Structure formats: structure tokens, C-alpha cells
Amino acid sequence: MSYKNYPMVSRVVFGRGSFNQLGDIISPKRLNRKAPFIFLVDDVFKGNTKIISRIPIAYDDQLVYISAKEEPKTSQVDDLVEHIIVSHKDRPSGIIGIGGGTILDLAKAVAIMITNEGGAKDYQGWDLVKNPAIYHVGIPTISGTGSEVSRTTVLTGPEKKLGINSDHTPFDQVILDPELTNGVPKDQWFYTGMDCYIHCIESLNGTYLNAFSESYGEKAYELCLDIFMNDNPISEEDMQDKLMMASWHGGMSIAYSQVGVAHAMSYGLSYLLGTKHGIGNCIVFDHLDEFYPEGVKLFKAMKIKHNITLPQGLCANLHDDEYDTMIDVALSLEPLWENAIGNDWKQTITRDKLKALYQKM
Ligand code: NAD
Ligand code: ZN
């Protein structure tokens, strides 16, 4: 038996207002005046001087606004890398992602693709990256995905939706400033927060569970209950602080185990219909009581408590070949099923079974 030797984020700052330290943190990493920092920033912050004026732009540094309306694509990564390479003589000093999981994943992928040949699609999979990425920093502005701590960057490519899972993927530096999550719309707060909750449920109920994952998963789960199910509401600030740490712990929990049924099926929805990760997970998880009875029961209670209505009938008018596409994507994620069900998962997880589940969504 050989145990996996996982990389982690090398440095992390936590605290309200810690975003102000960004300039001090990155300046020693500047290679020279012509080697810029590239700031990839969620375009929801365009015109938000409170955030933008604090980005420490100097010399040839470049700020690129990116829409988080759609999840990152391999072609988008390739375009960004080309744009960065042609606009600057020197290789950048670093990539800094400021936003949610969409922007964080893009920042990780761009940092990898600056030093690796070919296109991003060539690296979707496990341990395909050859050269170390350039210095990259993640600054989440919404909590839940765990992308800030994970070893993957999920991309939709021409053939598959799959992450670049590698030792070079994790950030060199993360800044956790819960104040940056001010202004997240309520529904989105719930969907992305539930991504974290579902990470906990899938990790804690998986066959890959071990004491490492459990210790993080239990903490994240406990924090989720404090945030989403507390009868004595906690302050907004407390809530933001706790959700940021829940996201981190949830991410750490799956790092050493795996996600499960909700993620496998939600990848199918997202590949075919472009359904975003947070809401997609919620739509799927709502129907998974046979796999996660306790977790789904609590999820439904949280939905009611926060007045969330999920879209219905997403798959109502799909053709057979469209179901097939979703089922192919879901079934291709073998480690997720193996974690959720066990080695013999193929005996119970049939195409018909998945079709029947998708038909409910
Ligand atoms: P997101 O980044 O897509 O953002 C969701 C919405 O919230 C967007 O409209 C965005 O503009 C808005 N937003 C973000 N911060 C805001 C703020 N402070 N104020 C107002 N609006 C704000 O959402 P997400 O759920 O964080 O990320 C989803 C992505 O993360 C998916 O692409 C998914 O594949 C990926 N993901 C990656 C991992 C990983 O380990 N790499 C894990 C889970 C999910
Ligand atoms: Zn997730």
C-alpha cells in the first residue's frame, strides 16, 4: 500500500481586511519590472472602487476582468494564456485570481499553462502536468467550493468536463478575507455554501473515508450547521468568517478522499446544459435520499429555512441522446462512484438508474 503524498497551499493569511496586505505579500515575488503580475478579477467588481482601488497594480501589471457567468473552459484558458504572452515580453511574475471558484480555477489553470506546452485540454486528468506552474495566488470572494485549497482546477473541454489534478495546481498563497464576501446574493450564497455542505456529506459517507478526511469533514460539517441551521442566528460577520473556514476544511476533507454521487451527476448536467456547479449540486442532491438519507433530509430543511426554491423540470424535454451524454459524463468519473458506493458500484449504478434519477430533475 502506498499512500498519496499531497501538496498543500504553502502560505495562507486569514482575517477581515487582510486583502490590504496583498501588495506586501506579492512584491518580493516580482521577478523584475517587466515581469508583470496578472490580476484575474471577477467582473462583478467592475466599478467597485472599494475592492479595485486596493489591488496593488505597478509597472506592467495587468488587470483582466472575467465574467463568472459561465464555468471555465479549456479554450478560455488557452486564450488568456496567449493574450498574456503576446502582451508582455517577459514571463509574468505571477497570476492572482480574485473571485469565486470560477476565477480561482482559471487562475490556477493559467498559471500552469504558462509553463506547459500545448492546450489546457491536454492536461485534463490526473498528474499530466510536467512543469511547475508560475507563482499563483488565490483570493476567494465567495465561500464554499474549496477551490482555494484544492489540487484541481475544473475545466470544461471539447470532450470532457474534468479537472487538471496535479501537484502543481494548488495555490502558492491564499488570502482569506471574509469581508470580500460582502455583497454575495442570497441564492448564490446558499448554492455555493451547499457545495461545501455536499463535500462534507460525500466525504464523510464515502468508502475512501479515513481519519485525515474525517477530521476536516466533521469540522466543516459542524460549521455548516452553525451557519445554515442555527436557531439563534449568528452575526453576518461570524457567518462569513465561519463559511470561509468551512469551505477550506471541506476542501481539505475531499483532498484526501473524494466526492460522490451528487458531484458525478452534477458534472453531467453542467456538461450538457451549462448548469453551474453550486446550483447543479443542489438540484441533484435534492433527489439523492437513497444514497445520503440524513444529509438530504437536512438539506431540505435548510432549503426551507432559507426560502430557497430550486428550478424544476430541467431535464423534462431532453432527448435520449442528451440523457446519454449526461450519463456518459457521470459514469466516466469512476473514483467518485467507487468512493460513494464501493468497488462493486457498477452492479447497482446502471444507465437506467441514472436516467431515472435525471428524469426527476
Ligand atoms: P462563481 O465563481 O461561479 O461565482 C458565482 C456568482 O457569484 C458569480 O455571478 C459571481 O460574479 C458572484 N460573486 C462572487 N463573489 C461575489 C461577491 N463578493 N459579491 C457579489 N457577487 C459575487 O461561484 P462558485 O460557486 O464559487 O464557483 C463555481 C466554480 O467552482 C465552478 O466552475 C466549479 O467547477 C468550481 N469548483 C472548483 C473546485 C475545485 O476544487 N477546483 C471545487 C468546487 C467547485
Ligand atoms: Zn463541489
Side-chain angles (χ1 to χ4, degrees):
M1 171 92 188
S2 146
Y3 296 99
K4 280 197 179 153
N5 185 10
Y6 276 101
M8 286 172 62
V9 170
S10 326
R11 283 180 173 263
V12 57
V13 184
F14 172 82
R16 304 185 73 81
S18 60
F19 184 50
N20 290 335
Q21 290 168 231
L22 179 58
D24 291 343
I25 289 169
I26 62 176
S27 67
K29 301 289 181 185
R30 188 181 292 281
L31 301 172
N32 66 61
R33 291 180 179 198
K34 288 205 179 112
F37 283 109
I38 311 293
F39 298 89
L40 303 182
V41 181
D42 190 321
D43 70 2
V44 76
F45 296 115
K46 225 181 221 174
N48 181 335
T49 46
K50 256 185 164 171
I51 305 285
I52 301 304
S53 65
R54 289 154 75 200
I55 298 177
I57 295 199
Y59 307 111
D60 290 341
D61 294 353
Q62 194 181 358
L63 189 158
V64 184
Y65 285 111
I66 294 181
S67 162
K69 290 256 147 22
E70 288 180 4
E71 300 199 333
K73 294 187 184 62
T74 53
S75 58
Q76 187 185 11
V77 173
D78 297 340
D79 291 348
L80 269 167
V81 169
E82 194 185 320
H83 171 71
I84 291 167
I85 289 174
V86 301
S87 348
H88 304 276
K89 264 206 192 124
D90 282 34
R91 178 181 280 184
S93 296
I95 306 290
I96 291 123
I98 305 174
T102 299
I103 309 295
L104 297 183
D105 277 7
L106 272 171
K108 292 197 269 190
V110 167
I112 289 170
M113 290 314 301
I114 284 183
T115 52
N116 286 277
E117 283 181 358
K121 71 170 172 33
D122 306 333
Y123 298 92
Q124 286 180 283
W126 281 270
D127 301 304
L128 303 170
V129 178
K130 290 176 194 79
N131 305 316
I134 65 167
Y135 177 71
H136 49 303
V137 180
I139 308 177
T141 65
I142 179 171
S143 300
T145 65
S147 174
E148 65 279 12
V149 75
S150 81
R151 184 184 179 273
T152 188
T153 162
V154 184
L155 302 174
T156 303
E159 279 148 33
K160 53 197 167 196
K161 180 174 176 186
L162 187 60
I164 302 180
N165 297 265
S166 88
D167 282 357
H168 306 298
T169 308
F171 286 112
D172 298 298
Q173 169 81 54
V174 168
I175 296 179
L176 297 177
D177 182 348
E179 250 172 34
L180 297 178
T181 65
N182 281 336
V184 171
K186 167 102 190 272
D187 282 9
Q188 191 62 54
W189 165 79
F190 185 83
Y191 301 145
T192 302
M194 284 302 111
D195 189 21
C196 173
Y197 172 75
I198 295 168
H199 291 159
C200 298
I201 300 295
E202 294 188 324
S203 171
L204 292 171
N205 294 286
T207 61
Y208 288 5
L209 190 65
N210 53 67
F212 184 102
S213 290
E214 189 171 33
S215 62
Y216 285 107
E218 281 180 346
K219 187 67 211 177
Y221 180 78
E222 189 186 300
L223 287 165
C224 284
L225 294 192
D226 264 8
I227 298 156
F228 294 104
M229 272 321 266
N230 203 324
D231 288 331
N232 314 302
I234 53 177
S235 74
E236 180 74 8
E237 292 193 356
D238 249 13
M239 194 280 293
Q240 292 175 340
D241 291 7
K242 285 186 173 189
L243 191 51
M244 201 158 254
M245 289 320 299
S247 174
W248 181 274
H249 282 79
M252 286 298 297
S253 180
I254 45 176
Y256 222 100
S257 61
Q258 210 10 303
V259 283
V261 181
H263 276 75
M265 296 196 68
S266 150
Y267 271 41
L269 278 186
S270 147
Y271 187 83
L272 183 75
L273 304 170
T275 315
K276 293 198 68 184
H277 188 77
I279 191 171
N281 279 355
C282 288
I283 291 168
V284 174
F285 195 67
D286 212 22
H287 298 284
L288 297 186
D289 25 326
E290 69 173 284
F291 300 103
Y292 307 110
E294 292 302 314
V296 173
K297 197 166 139 198
L298 194 60
F299 171 78
K300 289 184 188 289
M302 293 192 278
K303 243 183 13 177
I304 292 169
K305 190 173 168 85
H306 297 286
N307 228 339
I308 302 289
T309 11
L310 293 173
Q312 309 279 332
L314 225 63
C315 301
N317 299 314
L318 296 184
H319 301 294
D320 279 349
D321 55 329
E322 293 175 309
Y323 278 109
D324 280 338
T325 302
M326 290 198 292
I327 294 167
D328 288 340
V329 171
L331 288 177
S332 73
L333 298 159
E334 300 207 353
L336 282 62
W337 293 105
E338 198 178 280
N339 175 48
I341 316 285
N343 284 330
D344 55 355
W345 65 272
K346 285 182 180 154
Q347 286 169 18
T348 46
I349 305 304
T350 59
R351 299 187 73 89
D352 287 347
K353 168 105 200 155
L354 294 194
K355 186 166 183 187
L357 278 167
Y358 276 128
Q359 276 168 334
K360 292 190 201 171
M361 296 171 196

